[in-house]
């Protein structure tokens, strides 16, 4: 399985609303509940109406389109990283899964995934 390293800085935010979010940005992941409006995006695209924001994330994604019948891919990756003390922020899209790790853990995550047999490449 090929894992692609995005090589860009991400931020994970809680926003007042989505009116200032650039929905056309290259990476823009939103989630809404009764309690919050969440956003994960490139740090350079963080809108002005953030309530809370955590900078310093780096992104990976599983290359290719994952069939919905596949089971445990994200669980295996997250468990592998957790065993090495690397916390993640997971994002699933229709096609694939994205994993954000803290910037200071990026190279360690690459090493862990490579040692486990994953091919890690730059996107």
């Amino acid at each position: 399985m090929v894992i692609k390293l995005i090589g860009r800085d991400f931020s994970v935010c809680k926003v007042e609303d989505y009116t200032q979010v650039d929905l056309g940005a290259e990476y823009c992941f939103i989630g809404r509940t009764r309690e919050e409006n969440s956003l994960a995006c490139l740090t350079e695209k963080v809108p002005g109406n953030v309530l809370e924001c955590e900078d310093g994330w780096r992104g990976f994604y599983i290359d290719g389109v994952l069939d919905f019948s596949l089971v445990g891919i994200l669980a295996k990756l997250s468990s592998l990283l957790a065993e090495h003390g690397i916390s993640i922020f997971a994002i699933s899209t229709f096609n694939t899964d994205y994993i954000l790790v803290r910037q200071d853990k990026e190279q360690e995550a690459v090493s862990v995934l490579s040692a486990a047999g994953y091919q890690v490449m730059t996107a």
Side-chain angles (χ1 to χ4, degrees):
M1 184 171 291
V2 176
I3 307 287
K4 294 273 183 99
L5 176 63
I6 297 170
R8 309 269 301 273
D9 294 332
F10 282 83
S11 296
V12 178
C13 311
K14 188 186 302 186
V15 294
E16 198 173 307
D17 56 43
Y18 297 116
T19 59
Q20 296 181 27
V21 174
D22 182 356
L23 297 174
E26 185 175 11
Y27 297 101
C28 176
F29 306 99
I30 61 173
R32 183 173 183 193
T33 68
R34 285 186 199 170
E35 293 82 29
E36 66 177 305
N37 297 310
S38 291
L39 168 70
C41 65
L42 295 173
T43 300
E44 65 199 47
K45 294 292 187 177
V46 171
N49 64 342
V50 295
L51 301 172
E52 295 180 46
C53 188
E54 292 280 335
D55 296 330
W57 296 87
R58 301 288 281 189
F60 300 82
Y61 66 92
I62 301 167
D63 192 31
V65 177
L66 302 177
D67 188 272
F68 285 114
S69 65
L70 297 173
V71 176
I73 293 172
L74 186 58
K76 185 173 181 178
L77 291 170
S78 62
S79 294
L80 180 62
L81 294 170
E83 288 170 14
H84 290 86
I86 302 170
S87 62
I88 69 165
F89 186 88
I91 304 164
S92 293
T93 66
F94 190 89
N95 284 346
T96 195
D97 293 320
Y98 288 76
I99 296 173
L100 303 183
V101 299
R102 289 289 187 181
Q103 190 170 17
D104 64 341
K105 296 288 189 176
E106 179 183 35
Q107 289 309 310
E108 185 179 354
V110 169
S111 296
V112 167
L113 294 170
S114 296
Y118 292 96
Q119 184 179 1
V120 183
M121 306 170 54
T122 302

